[in-house]
Amino acid sequence: MGLVHLLRAVTVNFDLLGAEFAARNGLHPTDVRALIHLLDAARDGTPATPGWLGRQLRLNSAGTTALVDRLERLGLVRRERDGADRRRVLLEVEQKATELGWAFFGPVIDKVVATAEDFEADELETVRRFLTSVLHATQQMRSL
C-alpha cells in the first residue's frame, strides 16, 4: 500500500501544479488536460481530431467544440485540414502553448530528470515497467 499512497501523492501534486498553471493562464483544468492529450498525440504520431480529443476527455461533441473554440481563441490550438483527407480536421498545439507549458513546468521536469540521473539504467527500467503497468491498470478502470 505504500506505493499506492506514494503514487496518489505524486498524482495530487501534479494535479495541484496543473490547477495552478490553469489559474495563472486563464484556463480551465479540462483545457490543460486537452493540451496534454494533444501534446502526447503529437509526440506519438497520433492524428488528433476533435472526435478523438472528445473521447480522451469524455466530452460530448458540443463540449468538445466549445473547448477547441476556447483554446483556439486563446491562441493555444489551431484546426488544420488533414492533407490526406480534406474532410477531416486535425488539432495542432500552437508554439505559444508549448512555451507557456515549458515556462511553468520546465523547472519540475528538470528536477525529475535530475532525480532520474541518480538511478542506474536497470533501476529506471524497473520503474518504467511498474509505471507502465499501473497506467494500463488505471486505463482499464476508465473503460468500465
Side-chain angles (χ1 to χ4, degrees), residues 2-22:
L3 286 175
V4 171
H5 295 149
L6 282 171
L7 280 170
R8 184 182 61 207
V10 169
T11 301
V12 167
N13 280 327
F14 273 118
D15 282 348
L16 290 171
L17 284 170
E20 185 177 337
F21 174 78

Side-chain angles (χ1 to χ4, degrees), residues 115-126:
T115 298
E117 291 171 354
D118 292 337
F119 291 83
E120 299 295 326
D122 61 331
E123 292 175 308
L124 290 174
E125 182 54 32
T126 299

Side-chain angles (χ1 to χ4, degrees), residues 30 33-34 37-38 47-65 67-68 91 142:
T30 303
R33 286 192 299 275
H37 281 295
L38 293 171
T49 64
W52 174 88
L53 182 61
R55 286 189 299 279
Q56 303 309 303
L57 298 169
R58 295 184 172 190
L59 293 175
N60 63 25
S61 179
T64 303
T65 298
L67 167 74
V68 173
L91 302 173
R142 283 187 62 201

Side-chain angles (χ1 to χ4, degrees), residues 13-40 52-53 56-57 59 67-68 70-71 74 76-77 93 97-98 100-102 104-105:
N13 280 327
F14 273 118
D15 282 348
L16 290 171
L17 284 170
E20 185 177 337
F21 174 78
R24 283 188 187 184
N25 292 288
L27 301 172
H28 185 277
T30 303
D31 299 341
V32 176
R33 286 192 299 275
L35 290 169
I36 291 167
H37 281 295
L38 293 171
L39 289 166
D40 289 346
W52 174 88
L53 182 61
Q56 303 309 303
L57 298 169
L59 293 175
L67 167 74
V68 173
R70 185 171 56 249
L71 292 176
L74 292 168
L76 303 176
V77 168
V93 176
T98 304
L100 284 173
W102 274 108
F104 185 86
F105 291 104

